[in-house]
Amino acid sequence: MSLFRSARFPAIMLLVAAAAGLIIANSPIGHSVQDLQHTYVGIPGVFELSVGHWVADGLLALFFFVVAVELQFELTNGQLNSARKALQPAIAAAGGVIVPIVVYLAFAWGTESADGWPIPTATDIAFALGVLAVFGRGLPSGVRIFLLALAILDDIVGIIFIAVLFTDGVNIALLAAAAVLVVLFGYLSRKLDTRARAAVIPILLVLAVATWVLVYLSGVHATIAGVALGLAMAQQPALHTRHAMEPWVNGIVLPLFAFSSALVIIPAVSIDELTPAFYGILIALPVGKILGISLFGWISQRVAHDPAMPRLPMADLIAAGALGGIGFTVSLLLSELAFTGNDLLTDEAVLGVLSGSLISVIIAGILVSARARHYRRRSSAVTESSKAATS
């Protein structure tokens, strides 16, 4: 299980799963696998979803629960537990949202692809930290802390986009019932350190499932249930739950989602026939993120510098911006939501996310490796100088 808790291996699995989905979709069995993805499973006449929706709406809620628990910890005890600490990465994150939107709309404004502007705003925490772990040996902890805070804030923006932009015809009564269950879930989770633990656990599981069903039926995207439950759960039990779920989320949930989302048949069209959705995401993820995060990060260190946090050189900010361009999980979800009902735009958006994220991985790998070598050389020079001084 420790392998699935590491930063490196899950990132590799995500990449392999996405590649496998793309290859299989364009193989002779591609149509059969896609038909399976659209097969409905559940209780006939009561509650049924396609296999693809079970993955995107059901399993992915577990991922958002884990993200929400980490967010809760960072907001209370971590890198975002005060306005002063959060301001610097928040300004950089704002740049990492605003500039990619501008870049995307430069391609898509006035076309039917314009609805996809939220897609390049997301950063995949697991993937970005995985790349950082693979290539960043020797980097100072400040870079990782900055990236983690940045990615968490990006996820908050993505969650808000999902909740606000892609919700139609909300059933307020069902949503209110779900909210009541979330409150009850949070209250009972505080009983997990008492003698009632054995009785509370199954009740919490039932409440979690019921909350997910009610949120789904209310018209709000079902992954929001995972966010609400993760934020409501008592912190220590939530952290223990996150620790237990992490290998399953990294080893099964995220690769399955990556595989399912990448089951896209590459359109047999010439380059000039591709829509702005593809080009906008392809450019906005690597270029928009690098420009937005590095520029706004540089500004943030001058207008909101926290003495407790080291000031990062521009080269480190650019490397962090490249890592921020790895949209992947949340960007893939936003692609499906933004172009619901338009299979061509959805497929091209997915291809744009995969291509843009891959470009970001390559650029980030090069830049992070270069910065890591720089810090290792500097550390070696300091060590040698110290030895010479003492000899």
Side-chain angles (χ1 to χ4, degrees), residues 7 65 76 104 142 164-165 212 221 234 236 293 307 334 373 378:
F65 174 87
T76 54
Y104 180 87
V164 175
L165 299 177
W212 179 85
H221 197 270
Q236 284 307 311
I293 290 172
L334 289 169
R373 284 196 301 272
R378 194 169 75 175

Side-chain angles (χ1 to χ4, degrees), residues 149-176:
L150 186 75
I152 288 172
L153 290 166
D154 263 6
D155 270 347
I156 294 174
V157 173
I159 289 165
I160 292 171
F161 283 161
I162 292 168
V164 175
L165 299 177
F166 305 113
T167 297
D168 295 315
V170 178
N171 186 315
I172 300 299
L174 291 177
L175 195 59

Side-chain angles (χ1 to χ4, degrees), residues 252-266:
I252 297 177
V253 172
L254 291 180
L256 265 179
F257 177 72
F259 177 82
S260 177
S261 297
L263 282 172
V264 172
I265 296 175
I266 298 175

Side-chain angles (χ1 to χ4, degrees), residues 60-69 71-72 155-156 158-160 162-163 182 185 211-212 215 221-233:
L60 205 60
L62 300 177
F63 164 71
F64 275 93
F65 174 87
V66 169
V67 169
V69 170
L71 172 60
Q72 181 202 107
D155 270 347
I156 294 174
I159 289 165
I160 292 171
I162 292 168
V182 169
F185 179 91
T211 300
W212 179 85
V215 171
H221 197 270
T223 53
I224 299 301
V227 176
L229 293 169
L231 292 176
M233 193 172 188

Side-chain angles (χ1 to χ4, degrees), residues 72-109:
Q72 181 202 107
F73 176 80
E74 292 297 333
L75 289 172
T76 54
N77 297 295
Q79 296 303 317
L80 304 176
N81 68 346
S82 71
R84 187 172 186 176
K85 286 184 179 180
L87 187 57
Q88 187 173 312
I91 293 173
V97 171
I98 294 169
V99 176
I101 290 174
V102 172
V103 172
Y104 180 87
L105 290 177
F107 287 87
W109 184 264

